[in-house]
Amino acid sequence: MLKYADLVEQHSDKISHLESISMGQPIWLAKAIVGMQVASWRYYAGFTDKIPGETYPENGDGFFKMVNYEPLGVCAGISAWNGTQFSVARKIAPAVAVGNTYIFKSSEKSPLGVLYLGKLFKEAGFPPGVVNLLSGSGRVGALLASHMDIAHITFTGSAAAGRQVQIAAAKSNLKHVVLELGGKSPALIFNDANLDNAVAHNSRGFLLNSGQICMAGSRILVQSGIAPKFIEALKAAFIKLNDLLADPALDSTYLGPLADKAQFERVMSYLEGAKKDGIEVLTGGGRKGDRGRFVEPTILMDPDVTAKVYTEEIFGPVVVIKTFETEKEAIEMANNTSYGLGATVYTNDITRALRVTAELEAGTVTVNSFHRLVPETPFGGKKQSGYGREGGFEGIKLFLEAKTVQINMTMPED
Ligand code: TXE
């Protein structure tokens, strides 16, 4: 695993290039995500000899008890396209670290970078069959989900496809299922927040990968006292970032296009729908230029809580903003969603941060920053953002099953 991590690091330029030409990810970001893959493999390599079991002594019941943690066998993962290189690490590394084998299917929108990894797994010395890399569409994913010899499947993608995976698992061999299904994550900005910090994380942070990130804070809820200043500054930041939309192959490009024509059309249809509904477009709102799939960083103001752009995951550079008066109202608005992946809170009051964090229905809450994905902490959703966690020790636990062994210590009767 460590040798593989070294090889990925050495081949980072090539892998990032393949990722970038597949789905338009800016080179700097593709490199950063390859770096996250490397860090995760190194992190999980450390677990290979650190999985303890438990023993319980005979305590009058006549039995000595042991609990051993065993691998599940053949595990599979279906990946989205927006962070494939990270997905490879979070899915495969913990599984093989504790003795499973793995079949990884990349998204049909980003197959190239993963295929390149095949030769690195070989070169690192993984025995044949331990890591298997597949390309293919949802039909290939569906075959994995319904396969009778696969013990575990982790799915990252849309809620609709995730539901199909769960149904297929239930109809086949009841394999373990973990789902990571995106979100409509709230960003709560309180009156006492540091304005510059909140603006930076909700502009440069939110627009990373052109908003095609599952935990992007796409619903901004801002307290009325700071709202005028915050909204004005955010608008200025979005306009500035619009100028940075450029060719993703250039090292200097911060923001690239959307992944493909389908994703572009999907985002454009949300924007057209919002305009038809009379929702105010504060900045952006359309395509940039007439070549490539570039969409302007867009802010939509005060949509109704039932509006599609307020309730559904757009997966593009589009935020909606609403204002609130009280902390209680902010929490209610934040939790008023079928999703529960992430939430961010901007405040300088630590007691408020702790209170609000405890109330938010989200798998990850980040205070005064955009989310950071690090190897040692688990990540996953509540409600319809899915269940199960990837990352950290939780990520290891997914791939182990407890076996209880009971040893009768009583002497046979003479
Ligand atoms: O996702 P799909 P798409 C959301 C986001 C985006 C929308 C559509 O809103 O706009 O989904 O993207 C495989 N059984 N997210 O069409 O279809 C498929 O081959 C098994 C959020 O790309 O869900 C691919 O590998 N597998 C998200 C993966 O599922 C199936 C990231 C994702 O494809 C399958 C991606 C089936 N029946 C999209 N159907 C996030 N959580 O970050 C498809 N697949």
Side-chain angles (χ1 to χ4, degrees):
M1 290 172 73
L2 291 171
K3 190 166 172 200
Y4 168 79
D6 291 346
L7 287 167
V8 172
E9 198 165 46
Q10 285 159 26
H11 291 251
S12 169
D13 285 352
K14 179 73 184 171
I15 300 165
S16 310
H17 169 71
L18 292 171
E19 221 44 72
S20 178
I21 59 170
S22 297
M23 50 78 62
Q25 192 160 66
I27 278 291
W28 78 266
L29 183 58
K31 279 186 189 161
I33 294 176
V34 171
M36 289 160 76
Q37 173 177 188
V38 172
S40 273
W41 277 92
R42 288 182 178 148
Y43 171 78
Y44 280 120
F47 276 102
T48 51
D49 57 0
K50 295 180 190 63
I51 304 299
E54 296 146 38
T55 58
Y56 298 90
E58 195 281 328
N59 58 354
D61 64 355
F63 281 84
F64 175 81
K65 284 86 58 181
M66 287 194 290
V67 183
N68 299 329
Y69 290 91
E70 299 183 336
L72 297 162
V74 182
C75 302
I78 298 173
S79 175
W81 39 269
N82 54 332
T84 312
Q85 293 297 318
F86 189 49
S87 208
V88 164
R90 299 278 267 211
K91 288 177 170 48
I92 308 178
V96 298
V98 294
N100 300 279
T101 61
Y102 211 89
I103 305 168
F104 181 93
K105 188 194 91 62
S106 55
S107 165
E108 55 274 39
K109 298 185 186 191
S110 58
L112 303 182
V114 174
L115 290 179
Y116 188 84
L117 300 178
K119 72 169 187 176
L120 305 186
F121 279 114
K122 248 185 167 168
E123 199 178 326
F126 281 83
V130 171
V131 175
N132 307 275
L133 305 172
L134 284 183
S135 304
S137 68
R139 282 170 54 210
V140 178
L143 288 172
L144 293 174
S146 60
H147 202 288
M148 294 301 287
D149 295 328
I150 290 176
H152 180 292
I153 192 155
T154 303
F155 173 86
T156 305
S158 63
R163 213 175 281 273
Q164 292 308 314
V165 166
Q166 192 172 35
I167 290 169
K171 283 189 173 165
S172 52
N173 62 344
L174 287 171
K175 58 180 65 61
H176 299 205
V177 178
V178 169
L179 299 175
E180 205 271 84
L181 307 176
K184 191 74 182 175
S185 299
L188 281 65
I189 325 288
F190 286 93
N191 284 342
D192 62 358
N194 178 303
L195 184 71
D196 292 343
N197 183 60
V199 169
H201 286 284
N202 286 282
S203 54
R204 285 185 81 84
F206 165 74
L207 288 167
L208 269 180
N209 215 22
S210 297
Q212 301 167 115
I213 293 191
C214 51
M215 74 280 193
S218 54
R219 274 189 311 140
I220 297 181
L221 308 173
V222 55
Q223 201 163 17
S224 56
I226 198 176
K229 274 190 183 159
F230 173 81
I231 292 167
E232 193 192 321
L234 194 77
K235 179 181 172 184
F238 268 51
I239 291 171
K240 228 175 171 177
L241 285 158
N242 188 31
D243 294 339
L244 302 186
L245 272 174
D247 180 350
L250 302 174
D251 278 335
S252 55
T253 295
Y254 182 70
L255 283 181
L258 298 188
D260 63 0
K261 185 166 178 269
Q263 190 61 20
F264 172 79
E265 284 171 354
R266 185 188 148 93
V267 172
M268 290 306 284
S269 79
Y270 276 108
L271 293 176
E272 278 147 26
K275 286 180 205 161
K276 251 191 218 147
D277 291 345
I279 294 167
E280 182 193 345
V281 180
L282 186 68
T283 182
R287 179 177 193 172
K288 184 171 179 196
D290 53 10
R291 288 191 64 224
R293 305 291 167 189
F294 294 93
V295 174
E296 297 170 322
T298 300
I299 302 176
L300 301 175
M301 288 305 298
D302 200 24
D304 190 81
V305 290
T306 59
K308 272 181 145 194
V309 289
Y310 188 75
T311 58
E312 295 180 13
E313 183 179 46
I314 298 174
F315 227 55
V318 184
V319 278
V320 293
I321 300 187
K322 280 184 94 64
T323 55
F324 67 85
E325 298 294 332
T326 65
E327 185 179 307
K328 185 167 175 284
E329 188 189 359
I331 292 164
E332 278 168 13
M333 288 167 79
N335 288 339
N336 181 21
T337 167
S338 58
Y339 288 113
L341 191 61
T344 50
V345 180
Y346 295 85
T347 176
N348 275 334
D349 177 346
I350 183 68
T351 55
R352 186 204 298 279
L354 290 171
R355 256 194 329 266
V356 173
T357 298
E359 294 295 325
L360 289 171
E361 295 166 356
T364 301
V365 182
T366 305
V367 178
N368 290 334
S369 168
F370 185 72
H371 298 298
R372 294 167 60 248
L373 286 174
V374 293
E376 63 270 29
T377 54
F379 179 78
K382 289 190 172 196
K383 303 199 286 191
Q384 290 182 40
S385 286
Y387 55 84
R389 297 288 181 269
E390 291 188 314
F393 187 55
E394 286 294 316
I396 285 278
K397 285 199 256 173
L398 292 182
F399 295 105
L400 291 168
E401 211 163 29
K403 176 182 279 175
T404 298
V405 180
Q406 307 188 23
I407 300 167
N408 188 347
M409 294 175 70
T410 52
M411 291 286 282
E413 297 270 337
D414 283 336

